[in-house]
Amino acid sequence: MKNIIIKYLLILLVFFASGSILAVINIKNTTVELSRLIKLHQIEDLRKNLVMSIQTVQSDLYTVGTPLGKKLDSIIMNVSNLDDKATMCISCHHEPAITKELNDIQVSIHDYQSALSQYITASANSEMMDRLKLNAAGIGNAIFVKTTNMSIKASQHLELSTNTAMVRINRAKMILYSTGALTFLLGIFIALKLTVSVTRPVNKLVEAVRAISQGNLGYTISHIDKTEFGELIKVFNKMSVDLEKGYSQLHNEIIERRKADEELMESREQYALAARGANDGLWDWNLTSNKIYFSTRWKSMLGYEEQDIEDNPQNWFDLVHPNDRKELETKISAHIDGITSHLESEYRILHKDKTYRWVLNRGLTVRDKNGKAYRMAGSQTDITERKIAEEQLLYDAFHDALTELPNRALFMDRLKHRLNQFIKGKQRSKNSLFAVIFLDLDRFKIINDSLGHMIGDQLLIAVSQRLAKAIRPEDTVARLGGDEFAIILENIMDREQVEMITDRLLSELPLPYHINGHEIFTAASLGIAISSPDYDRPEDMLRDADIAMYQAKAKGKAHYEIFDKKMYSSALARLQLETELRKAVEHNEFVMHYQPIIDLRNDKIIGFEALIRWDHPTRGLIYPMEFIPLAEETGLILPMGEWLLNEACSQLHKWQKQFDIGSVLKMSVNISSKQFLQSDLIATIDNILRNNCIDACCLALEITESLIMEDVESAIETLNKLRDMGIHIHIDDFGTGYSSLSYLQRFPVNALKIDQSFVAKMFSNEENMQIIKTIVSLAHNLNLDLVAEGLEEADQLTHLKELNCHYGQGYLLSRPMGPAAIEAFLEERLPIAEAKK
Ligand code: C2E
Ligand code: CA
Ligand code: CA
């Protein structure tokens, strides 16, 4: 604005100044003109004087009669005066024309002078004098005329100059007037313009302020010039925009704050509800004043009334179990010091009823801007039930649910611990030996199956109690699963001490158990592994005890064996055999041999016993005693059994056709206990018979007594079904096992096979002879057929014949043979005549 005002003032000044200069120039020109006018007047005066002088001279000239008259001198003086005046006049500033005329006049004056001097000086005749006088007068007249003309011209010029001067003066006046007027107008214009340029922005600003005050934030003014008002508007616009931004920010913040407030309210409610719902006790500890607030729930959780506990944190710590207090305090300090992100601690706390409750405490600190905690608050949850459940779970995880003995996991853990101790040599005194006993109940399966699982379970509990009683407190007895137990014998002196303890176990375990009115007998086979620097894994030690137990079982039940390295290699061999056996089943490396069974009365063949052989790729023929027990243990007997039953039936069918013998010959097939217990046994046999077109009456199944005794009731059920189908049942190895005559009557049996051990020693041992006789009379009484096995010698044959044993089987009669050899045998010994009947 200042600039504009200065600009306008300058314009005004320049305008006024140029007007004035113009006027001054005009006035100056007028002054020149005027001074010329004054000079012209002087000339006029001069001319007038000149004219008058000339007139005077002329008149003098005409009035004098002689040249030498007195007047002549004055004429001369006047003329020279005239010349001076003309010279003076010429020196003035004239129009060139006038100057020329003046020069002309001066020349004429000179001529006049010389004419007059001639006249004055002449002393001629009067004629001449008159002529000279006339000449001078003529010149004087010419000067007069010239001077008059010049005067007229000068007057004209004077008038013109006066007019010009007047015009100039008027013009200067005009210029001055108009300059004044225009300056005035310009001043008014500038004033108006300045007024407008001030009021317009001010009005706009007022309008804008009003708009803003009415809430139109961010209102901006579009007109921006370069004046201070422009600046002001710019600043104002920015302020308005900032105001709007600030306002909207504020507005958003208010909305957010309101939302946060609402959320806070909601979360407070939720928290209050949750706290009430969760049944948690709350606490809020002012670390600066060391005052703590305990919620009512916090106190009631521990059985206290509101007034019972004051706001001192020490009240809290005093209630915490002494063993847990240090940990809680450490955790609180750690959190206050910012080491942990929050406080979380489980501990026991004393209830008013003097019992301890498990609680979970969670807390958080609030910190000032320097990070120093000044407040801490949290909750206390009663987790007693959870803790009990956890403890139970932990207990369950490491204990056998039935016997409550440690389970395999805990046993292995303890064994590992014990072994580590041993390895570290911490206790390498004489006492530092320890032993692992692997114990497997004999006949448990039979008891379980025959008397039921309830009784089986009770027996296991009773056995576990007996074991626990038999060992020392520092020892561990665990149930590994099923009927397997294991014991760690701690701090033993030597092998003898182990044997002593084992003997005690072996003598106590077979004592009768009285369960639910049953008197039950069981025994156990024990395997022992004694600690040695060779062991570095608990599994190895338990494995060796297991191997030893396996050996004990193989030697006959209710025995123990102490592991030695040979056992390991035999166990390894067994493992290898198992692998090979699996392959053999897969590749079907088995062949069937058949041993004829002979009617001792007429020496004719009545059938065969099918006997399996393993045609081992490297070892040649392997006999069943070497692999059947393993096949039974591993379950491989199932696919093998099905295959061989089918093979035997298909062979029989082939021979039936080949020799046209109908159903005369029987095929006896050995059935293992695993096979017998298969639920689909009946269906499998039925299928095989059908597929091979064999009558059921041509098939005899050989089973052992102990197989039946494992589960008498279900055995009878299966046997009845087989009998109903027409299949014959022979009891194999009769006399060796656990027999019960009362059971035998209930079994649907067709024949007994006297075990070859009795036959082999019938003459060397009277007892054997007696057993054979008993079996023979039993068979006759029960109306059963009788087959003597293992007939090797003629007098055995003779004697058995005498005892009325009708059938026999043995090397004496025929060795087991492959199909081709049997065919040759059949050619000879076939009772075709009878068969045809
Ligand atoms: P086992 O059922 O008592 O079979 C009779 C065993 O006595 C056969 O031995 C046979 O070769 C043998 N033997 C026959 N006559 C005489 C003799 O005069 N003197 C002697 N010392 N032995 C004689 P093998 O074939 O070695 O079979 C042994 C056992 O393997 C069988 O005893 C049977 O329990 C089992 N076994 C054989 N084949 C099978 C089968 O296919 N399935 C099942 N589950 N077991 C089988
Ligand atoms: Ca047999
Ligand atoms: Ca036998």
Side-chain angles (χ1 to χ4, degrees):
M1 200 67 200
K2 199 171 79 192
N3 293 344
I4 287 188
I5 291 172
I6 291 170
K7 194 173 90 187
Y8 282 145
L9 282 177
L10 277 175
I11 289 173
L12 219 54
L13 198 70
V14 166
F15 190 77
F16 189 74
S18 46
S20 300
I21 288 168
L22 219 60
V24 166
I25 290 170
N26 267 300
I27 287 168
K28 202 180 162 196
N29 286 345
T30 312
T31 323
V32 171
E33 208 64 45
L34 281 177
S35 65
R36 195 186 292 167
L37 267 178
I38 290 165
K39 279 192 181 152
L40 276 178
H41 277 291
Q42 286 173 350
I43 291 170
E44 188 59 19
D45 283 347
L46 278 175
R47 187 193 55 83
K48 266 181 200 157
N49 283 338
L50 194 64
V51 168
M52 272 169 33
S53 302
I54 292 170
Q55 274 177 332
T56 308
V57 170
Q58 288 290 75
S59 64
D60 285 350
L61 201 54
Y62 281 106
T63 56
V64 286
T66 63
L68 297 167
K70 202 181 152 195
K71 282 208 183 167
L72 255 155
D73 293 336
S74 80
I75 289 171
I76 297 287
M77 197 187 71
N78 278 345
V79 171
S80 95
N81 203 9
L82 204 66
D83 192 33
D84 289 347
K85 283 184 181 173
T87 307
M88 238 167 73
C89 218
I90 288 164
S91 65
C92 296
H93 180 73
H94 290 289
E95 290 285 301
I98 288 178
T99 309
K100 197 175 164 248
E101 264 174 59
L102 278 173
N103 285 331
D104 228 11
I105 288 171
Q106 203 173 22
V107 170
S108 297
I109 287 170
H110 282 268
D111 288 345
Y112 193 34
Q113 259 178 330
S114 54
L116 278 176
S117 352
Q118 274 181 8
Y119 171 63
I120 292 162
T121 56
S123 47
N125 55 27
S126 63
E127 197 192 334
M128 182 68 170
M129 283 294 281
D130 284 340
R131 213 186 353 121
L132 283 174
K133 193 178 154 184
L134 275 177
N135 188 34
I139 293 170
N141 278 342
I143 290 169
F144 182 74
V145 171
K146 274 182 189 172
T147 311
T148 308
N149 280 346
M150 190 193 70
S151 185
I152 290 165
K153 269 187 196 167
S155 300
Q156 280 171 349
H157 188 67
L158 185 67
E159 198 184 334
L160 198 69
S161 284
T162 310
N163 283 343
T164 308
M166 278 314 287
V167 166
R168 286 227 170 110
I169 285 167
N170 283 337
R171 197 189 295 157
K173 208 164 78 187
M174 268 302 289
I175 287 171
L176 270 176
Y177 284 161
S178 49
T179 304
L182 281 175
T183 307
F184 178 69
L185 285 176
L186 195 63
I188 288 176
F189 173 75
I190 287 171
L192 280 174
K193 196 145 170 66
L194 280 175
T195 312
V196 166
S197 62
V198 170
T199 52
R200 222 172 116 203
V202 168
N203 283 342
K204 291 212 167 190
L205 280 166
V206 169
E207 203 179 307
V209 168
R210 193 172 294 140
I212 287 173
S213 72
Q214 284 167 357
N216 190 359
L217 299 176
Y219 184 96
T220 52
I221 301 165
S222 53
H223 170 83
I224 296 175
D225 54 23
K226 291 193 175 138
T227 65
E228 283 84 347
F229 283 109
E231 272 307 300
L232 180 64
I233 285 170
K234 254 197 224 165
V235 174
F236 178 88
N237 281 351
K238 189 174 177 303
M239 182 197 77
S240 177
V241 169
D242 286 353
L243 201 64
E244 190 192 23
K245 260 196 225 157
Y247 180 79
S248 79
Q249 234 168 7
L250 200 67
H251 186 68
N252 288 344
E253 263 171 39
I254 288 171
I255 289 175
E256 268 168 37
R257 182 69 59 83
R258 207 171 285 160
K259 218 170 116 195
D261 279 352
E262 278 166 14
E263 280 171 1
L264 189 68
M265 275 294 285
E266 204 176 320
S267 79
R268 263 194 200 144
E269 276 171 16
Q270 277 173 351
Y271 179 70
L273 274 174
R276 236 179 295 157
N279 236 355
D280 287 351
L282 304 179
W283 53 272
D284 189 348
W285 182 3
N286 185 328
L287 298 173
T288 321
S289 66
N290 200 31
K291 290 246 154 103
I292 191 164
Y293 157 80
F294 296 112
S295 74
T296 314
R297 178 68 198 130
W298 194 97
K299 295 172 184 174
S300 71
M301 197 181 261
L302 304 176
Y304 292 101
E305 296 294 327
E306 189 63 44
Q307 66 282 359
D308 289 351
I309 298 179
E310 286 167 7
D311 57 358
N312 183 348
Q314 197 52 46
N315 291 333
W316 169 13
F317 301 125
D318 287 347
L319 291 175
V320 176
H321 192 287
N323 292 351
D324 300 345
R325 203 172 295 157
K326 192 153 175 46
E327 191 193 318
L328 174 65
E329 284 170 353
T330 312
K331 281 186 173 173
I332 288 176
S333 313
H335 180 47
I336 289 176
D337 295 346
I339 298 165
T340 51
S341 64
H342 63 284
L343 165 72
E344 185 162 333
S345 177
E346 291 182 0
Y347 52 83
R348 286 159 290 177
I349 190 163
L350 194 64
H351 192 272
K352 204 177 179 183
D353 64 11
K354 301 291 171 216
T355 61
Y356 276 101
R357 299 290 158 95
W358 272 102
V359 291
L360 164 66
N361 208 312
R362 283 207 182 99
L364 263 186
T365 49
V366 188
R367 294 169 191 279
D368 61 18
K369 57 181 184 303
N370 300 323
K372 186 170 180 288
Y374 63 89
R375 182 179 168 186
M376 191 174 182
S379 65
Q380 173 175 278
T381 315
D382 190 330
I383 54 162
T384 312
E385 278 177 25
R386 196 197 82 198
K387 272 282 171 184
I388 292 171
E390 271 176 15
E391 273 163 19
Q392 186 63 45
L393 270 178
L394 197 69
Y395 181 86
D396 291 350
F398 288 107
H399 288 84
D400 171 45
L402 180 68
T403 61
E404 297 207 348
L405 289 180
N407 62 10
R408 182 184 285 267
L410 183 55
F411 181 85
M412 292 313 283
D413 188 62
R414 289 199 185 158
L415 183 56
K416 185 175 162 194
H417 186 71
R418 187 63 185 82
L419 198 60
N420 282 345
Q421 259 185 352
F422 183 80
I423 293 164
K424 278 182 197 154
K426 271 190 189 163
Q427 298 182 357
R428 280 207 185 154
S429 65
K430 243 199 146 205
N431 265 354
S432 74
L433 283 180
F434 70 97
V436 170
I437 301 180
F438 197 108
L439 188 153
D440 185 282
L441 292 185
D442 299 330
R443 303 182 53 246
F444 177 73
K445 194 176 160 22
I446 298 170
I447 296 163
N448 208 27
D449 289 348
S450 55
L451 299 178
H453 293 271
M454 293 281 280
I455 303 279
D457 285 354
Q458 292 303 310
L459 178 65
L460 287 172
I461 293 170
V463 168
S464 69
Q465 285 167 350
R466 216 174 265 191
L467 287 172
K469 232 190 247 170
I471 58 169
R472 299 158 305 168
E474 67 262 39
D475 300 335
T476 299
V477 58
R479 181 176 173 218
L480 302 184
D483 57 350
E484 288 176 355
F485 294 84
I487 298 169
I488 303 174
L489 291 182
E490 300 277 357
N491 305 329
I492 47 165
M493 314 271 232
D494 49 23
R495 199 183 161 100
E496 280 69 44
Q497 196 186 358
V498 179
E499 285 177 325
M500 207 181 74
I501 297 170
T502 313
D503 280 333
R504 193 167 70 223
L505 286 174
L506 278 179
S507 61
E508 280 175 19
L509 284 174
L511 298 176
Y513 296 86
H514 298 279
I515 295 165
N516 282 11
H518 297 270
E519 188 179 45
I520 302 170
F521 294 89
T522 185
S525 302
L526 275 65
I528 300 161
I530 297 175
S531 59
S532 96
D534 294 344
Y535 290 119
D536 48 9
R537 291 177 349 131
E539 296 82 11
D540 295 347
M541 214 174 155
L542 187 68
R543 177 205 61 204
D544 286 355
D546 188 10
I547 290 172
M549 188 281 296
Y550 190 81
Q551 290 286 317
K553 265 225 155 104
K555 282 201 173 167
K557 300 181 172 173
H559 277 74
Y560 74 81
E561 282 292 329
I562 296 180
F563 177 81
D564 67 47
K565 290 212 172 104
K566 273 184 255 154
M567 287 182 190
Y568 182 70
S569 46
S570 76
L572 214 61
R574 191 175 149 262
L575 197 71
Q576 193 185 341
L577 188 69
E578 186 185 327
T579 316
E580 288 181 348
L581 194 60
R582 282 183 196 281
K583 269 194 219 147
V585 171
E586 215 173 289
H587 302 140
N588 193 19
E589 292 172 5
F590 302 102
V591 290
M592 294 309 292
H593 280 192
Y594 302 92
Q595 185 175 33
I597 300 172
I598 306 294
D599 188 333
L600 300 179
R601 291 163 295 185
N602 56 20
D603 222 19
K604 298 290 180 197
I605 183 168
I606 61 154
F608 321 90
E609 178 173 4
L611 296 163
I612 193 166
R613 273 94 182 89
W614 176 4
D615 192 5
H616 192 278
T618 54
R619 288 167 60 193
L621 267 199
I622 299 179
Y623 286 84
M625 286 314 283
E626 231 183 291
F627 62 88
I628 286 290
L630 188 63
E632 284 211 34
E633 237 175 84
T634 53
L636 285 168
I637 194 72
L638 298 176
M640 281 167 67
E642 197 174 327
W643 171 82
L644 72 88
L645 190 66
N646 190 60
E647 181 68 17
C649 288
S650 119
Q651 186 61 67
L652 180 65
H653 180 67
K654 208 174 141 207
W655 286 332
Q656 282 176 348
K657 282 202 302 192
Q658 188 178 345
F659 297 101
D660 192 19
I661 49 172
S663 300
V664 162
L665 297 182
K666 273 199 172 54
M667 182 62 83
S668 293
V669 177
N670 295 286
I671 296 288
S672 80
S673 88
K674 271 243 168 74
Q675 271 178 289
F676 190 73
L677 293 172
Q678 276 294 100
S679 55
D680 60 353
L681 174 79
I682 305 287
T684 309
I685 294 176
D686 193 44
N687 264 344
I688 290 173
L689 290 175
R690 273 176 215 281
N691 291 347
N692 294 294
C693 308
I694 295 289
D695 272 351
C697 66
C698 295
L699 180 66
L701 299 182
E702 296 194 3
I703 55 175
T704 61
E705 296 159 276
S706 51
L707 182 153
I708 299 171
M709 294 310 293
E710 277 180 24
D711 186 348
V712 177
E713 296 308 321
S714 82
I716 290 177
E717 203 185 309
T718 312
L719 292 175
N720 281 336
K721 280 184 195 158
L722 291 168
R723 187 201 48 201
D724 293 348
M725 283 168 73
I727 294 168
H728 283 225
I729 306 293
H730 297 173
I731 299 208
D732 207 355
D733 306 341
F734 193 78
T736 55
Y738 171 91
S739 299
S740 161
L741 287 181
S742 59
Y743 281 142
L744 200 55
Q745 275 180 316
R746 291 175 58 204
F747 297 152
V749 172
N750 304 83
L752 302 179
K753 291 185 85 173
I754 304 170
D755 189 71
Q756 49 182 282
S757 60
F758 302 120
V759 177
K761 292 178 185 165
M762 63 189 290
F763 299 118
S764 61
N765 188 326
E766 182 52 30
E767 200 184 344
N768 284 334
M769 185 62 92
Q770 282 309 317
I771 290 172
I772 292 175
K773 282 181 182 166
T774 314
I775 294 172
V776 172
S777 69
L778 186 72
H780 286 164
N781 286 339
L782 293 174
N783 205 17
L784 300 174
D785 281 338
L786 197 60
V787 184
E789 275 188 307
L791 285 172
E792 287 186 9
E793 291 159 17
D795 45 349
Q796 290 168 346
L797 174 66
T798 320
H799 203 81
L800 279 160
K801 270 185 183 171
E802 280 171 9
L803 282 175
N804 257 335
C805 177
H806 295 159
Y807 306 103
Q809 178 184 352
Y811 295 164
L812 180 71
L813 306 169
S814 165
R815 285 194 169 256
M817 297 174 286
I822 288 288
E823 276 157 31
F825 186 88
L826 280 178
E827 295 285 359
E828 224 176 275
R829 307 285 286 272
L830 201 61
I832 295 180
E834 286 98 316
K836 286 280 155 77
K837 275 187 221 162

